Amino acid sequence: DIQMTQSPSSLSASVGDRVTITCRASQGISNYLAWFQQKPGKAPKSLIYAASRLHVGVPSKFRGSGSGTDFTLTITSLQPEDFATYYCQQYESYPLTFGGGTKVEIK
Amino acid sequence: EVQLVDSGGGLVQPGGSLRLSCAASGFAFSSYWMTWVRQAPGKGLEWVANIKQDGSEKYYMNSMKGRFTISRDNAKNSLYLQMSSLRAEDTAVYYCASLYCTPGCSKIYFHQWGQGTLVTVSS
């Protein structure tokens, strides 16, 4: 199974900040990497697929990059609605696996 | 508007069974792979199973293989998860989601999510 490791597990940031979340795969997954946002008590929301492509309706403040084993999600100009938990997920092979999540909190 | 509505969750005793449903609307359900993902209380996301558009291919997380069965009824625009031999560790919110294909459908990735339904396994 491919293990997905996210770091940090949590971070504190202020409105207007730029934050970067890292996701590492235990083996190469090309660009078969997705990112999700989840707010407390809500379903996840799909943000990014193919490592860097935004789903329709997702603002360009979310930027994904990487290939192979190392990936990043950058969120620019944090707004109150961006404070949430973010998950990465690989879809290169079964079983599909998620990272442990990164909780972005208000400083 | 694309909508996925999960239902069927509830309290079930260890060893019991439960069938979850996901009602789809606003898109061509029969053209999409579908999936179930679960989330234990306070924990991260865990993939459960995928099913192809016509139901001819199914994939499961190893720990659920043999206990869970994913199925669909394209005439009813519905996805199902039949769960049996339930254990306390199956307690979670279960989400259905639609999947997109890469060209040629060699890879599939998540698109829209349902709101989830809570399954509690306890005596």
Side-chain angles (χ1 to χ4, degrees):
Chain A
D1 299 3
I2 299 175
Q3 290 196 319
M4 307 301 293
T5 303
Q6 282 183 241
S7 60
S9 56
S10 66
L11 64 89
S12 294
S14 300
V15 172
D17 282 356
R18 183 178 83 166
V19 300
T20 297
I21 299 167
T22 296
C23 178
R24 175 164 289 173
S26 61
Q27 64 190 72
I29 58 171
S30 184
N31 69 335
Y32 299 119
L33 190 282
W35 289 97
F36 305 92
Q37 175 194 66
Q38 187 178 35
K39 297 180 181 179
K42 300 295 186 182
K45 175 185 175 182
S46 299
L47 296 177
I48 287 171
Y49 65 100
S52 62
R53 303 190 70 173
L54 297 178
H55 279 276
V56 172
V58 175
S60 58
K61 64 188 305 179
F62 293 97
R63 188 169 73 244
S65 63
S67 184
T69 60
D70 294 314
F71 302 86
T72 59
L73 173 68
T74 299
I75 311 169
T76 58
S77 186
L78 269 176
Q79 296 302 305
E81 61 268 23
D82 301 327
F83 291 92
T85 299
Y86 293 85
Y87 294 93
C88 62
Q89 178 251 332
Q90 67 80 21
Y91 54 97
E92 199 284 329
S93 65
Y94 289 109
L96 308 182
T97 47
F98 291 85
T102 296
K103 187 173 184 179
V104 178
E105 299 175 299
I106 300 175
K107 185 182 288 184
Chain B
E1 179 195 1
V2 172
Q3 200 167 16
L4 295 168
V5 179
D6 301 316
S7 63
L11 176 64
V12 59
Q13 291 191 336
S17 299
L18 204 60
R19 188 176 89 152
L20 306 183
S21 299
C22 169
S25 60
F27 67 105
F29 176 76
S30 61
S31 298
Y32 288 81
W33 282 76
M34 296 293 294
T35 187
W36 288 99
V37 170
R38 71 182 185 181
Q39 186 171 37
K43 303 297 184 183
L45 301 169
E46 180 179 38
W47 172 72
V48 172
N50 280 3
I51 186 168
K52 195 177 178 180
Q53 293 95 327
D54 62 1
S56 62
E57 292 182 37
K58 303 176 184 181
Y59 300 89
Y60 296 91
M61 176 64 85
N62 280 342
S63 60
M64 298 160 215
K65 206 176 294 186
R67 297 191 303 124
F68 290 9
T69 301
I70 189 172
S71 64
R72 64 192 297 162
D73 185 337
N74 288 340
K76 295 183 178 180
N77 288 343
S78 293
L79 175 72
Y80 306 102
L81 185 67
Q82 179 69 47
M83 305 185 293
S84 61
S85 302
L86 284 163
R87 310 163 181 165
E89 53 265 36
D90 295 317
T91 294
V93 175
Y94 286 74
Y95 299 99
C96 73
S98 59
L99 300 167
Y100 271 167
C101 280
T102 58
C105 232
S106 61
K107 307 293 182 186
I108 46 178
Y109 56 93
F110 288 80
H111 180 222
Q112 295 282 357
W113 296 69
Q115 89 287 359
T117 186
L118 175 63
V119 173
T120 303
V121 183
S122 175
S123 55

